[in-house]
Amino acid sequence: MQTLRRKFPVSERRACSVLDQPRSSQRYVGHPKDEDSRLTKKILGLVRQRPRFGYRRIAVLLRRAGEVINDKRMFRLWKAAGLKVPRKRREKRHFGEKRNACHIIPASFTNDVWTWDFVHSSTVDGRTIRFLNIVDEYTRVCLSIKVGRSITSEDAIDALAELFSMRGVPKRIRCDNGPEFISKAIKNWLATLGVEVLYIEPGAPWQNGVCESFNSKLRDEYLHQTELLGEADARLKARAWREDFNDHRPHSSLGYQTPSEFARRCADSASFAALTSLHQHSEQPDPLTVTQPNLS
């Protein structure tokens, strides 16, 4: 009505007559009911006793006390009183340190340091799908790509347990501060096996450079080049790509050898060194059987 009055210089009586609107509606001022004031005081008293309760729980307490109030009215009084349940402040669990970076503690031999991380993508229907990649940092061999819509810490433990049974237990594992990796279940299980966990600093993916490099190749050469029809299709294609990466793709960091070739040469070198050491040890004379020279 105020806007209408500014645009057209007509009286309130004439404007209300044209709009067929009672003149009393222009002068009405709402007054809160005494019942609302009484209920608001009761609500404030309950909120002081139960500061973590929301309006629904407070309404239940009011009804238990004999008040007649529904959730809709309760919400109106709650908002009018400016009430709000404060959010909980959760402490962030950060375990990462700069000294755990891959350039500071590099892998020195096979099964010295494993690294793992997640990559997210989506299938053709728009649903999210996750890839858990596990790589040996020294040989660059992709040990496993676990595919699933949801991969929990228990699933990650199952994937590691299967690899441990086939390839042995690594000395250390490098990872970021993802919720699956910092869970108590994984930390306790790895500690029981004597595996040290190298957590990188939060927000510093370059400290896990080997795995990040692998993840970029997975995205560029696999995920961006094919359509994933579903979970089973993604799992099948990931297995084929992993085999191609390990057995046929030349790796520049390994002198353009494939990871499998480099791993075999490392194993052959280790076997040769072990045999040489054993042979040299067998040629040494037993000090108990050596005849002492006659010094007389």
Side-chain angles (χ1 to χ4, degrees):
M1 180 61 72
Q2 297 295 332
T3 304
L4 185 63
R5 186 177 296 172
R6 286 195 298 269
K7 289 185 177 180
F8 304 99
V10 296
S11 64
E12 181 184 287
R13 183 190 301 273
R14 183 172 178 80
C16 288
S17 176
V18 171
L19 297 175
D20 192 21
Q21 182 174 339
R23 290 177 62 194
S24 61
S25 65
Q26 304 306 313
R27 297 184 176 88
Y28 175 79
V29 178
H31 298 284
K33 299 180 181 179
D34 294 337
E35 182 72 8
D36 288 352
S37 300
R38 185 183 65 83
L39 285 174
T40 300
K41 290 180 181 179
K42 257 195 159 181
I43 291 170
L44 293 175
L46 291 173
V47 167
R48 293 188 191 97
Q49 299 174 12
R50 309 277 189 174
R52 297 300 307 169
F53 278 17
Y55 75 93
R56 289 187 178 89
R57 293 182 186 273
I58 297 295
V60 171
L61 296 180
L62 287 174
R63 286 192 285 267
R64 287 181 179 177
E67 300 291 346
V68 179
I69 183 171
N70 57 24
D71 287 347
K72 184 177 180 181
R73 186 183 182 189
M74 178 67 203
F75 182 73
R76 177 174 60 82
L77 297 176
W78 181 273
K79 297 297 287 186
L83 297 174
K84 184 178 180 181
V85 179
R87 291 186 178 181
K88 293 181 179 179
R89 292 186 177 181
R90 298 183 178 180
E91 296 182 0
K92 294 184 178 180
R93 297 182 295 172
H94 290 162
F95 300 99
E97 294 180 296
K98 184 177 180 180
R99 63 184 181 87
N100 291 333
C102 60
H103 65 281
I104 298 177
I105 307 179
S108 301
F109 49 86
T110 306
N111 281 0
D112 181 18
V113 181
W114 288 5
T115 179
W116 58 345
D117 196 9
F118 281 100
V119 170
H120 296 77
S121 186
S122 60
T123 51
V124 293
D125 57 1
R127 297 174 61 195
T128 301
I129 193 165
R130 308 182 77 192
F131 299 81
L132 174 59
N133 306 321
I134 306 176
V135 179
D136 185 293
E137 285 195 2
Y138 186 72
T139 63
R140 304 299 200 274
V141 171
C142 176
L143 305 174
S144 174
I145 301 179
K146 188 174 182 63
V147 183
R149 296 289 185 186
S150 174
I151 301 178
T152 63
S153 57
E154 289 76 13
D155 298 328
I157 289 177
D158 292 340
L160 280 182
E162 183 178 357
L163 290 175
F164 289 176
S165 63
M166 293 188 302
R167 298 178 175 270
V169 179
K171 184 178 179 181
R172 293 167 289 191
I173 291 183
R174 197 186 325 269
C175 61
D176 58 22
N177 291 267
E180 299 85 359
F181 302 143
I182 64 176
S183 68
K184 291 183 178 179
I186 283 186
K187 292 177 65 179
N188 294 337
W189 182 68
L190 291 175
T192 303
L193 296 176
V195 180
E196 181 184 0
V197 184
L198 304 176
Y199 290 109
I200 63 172
E201 282 185 308
W206 56 88
Q207 295 181 4
N208 196 14
V210 174
C211 197
E212 290 297 330
S213 175
F214 175 84
N215 292 345
S216 67
K217 296 178 178 64
L218 178 74
R219 294 188 187 96
D220 185 49
E221 301 176 10
Y222 165 44
L223 297 178
H224 294 172
Q225 303 297 326
T226 185
E227 291 185 344
L228 306 179
L229 304 180
E231 185 176 346
D233 180 61
R235 188 176 292 111
L236 183 65
K237 290 177 179 177
R239 185 183 302 116
W241 185 86
R242 183 176 71 87
E243 293 175 356
D244 179 73
F245 177 86
N246 288 336
D247 300 333
H248 304 288
R249 183 187 183 281
H251 202 294
S252 59
S253 298
L254 305 176
Y256 290 98
Q257 302 176 76
T258 66
S260 296
E261 289 175 346
F262 183 76
R264 283 194 295 270
R265 293 190 178 184
C266 290
D268 293 342
S269 299
S271 300
F272 178 77
L275 288 175
T276 303
S277 176
L278 181 63
H279 181 68
Q280 291 176 350
H281 180 73
S282 62
E283 288 183 346
Q284 292 179 358
D286 189 347
L288 297 179
T289 60
V290 173
T291 304
Q292 296 293 332
N294 190 359
L295 300 179
S296 57

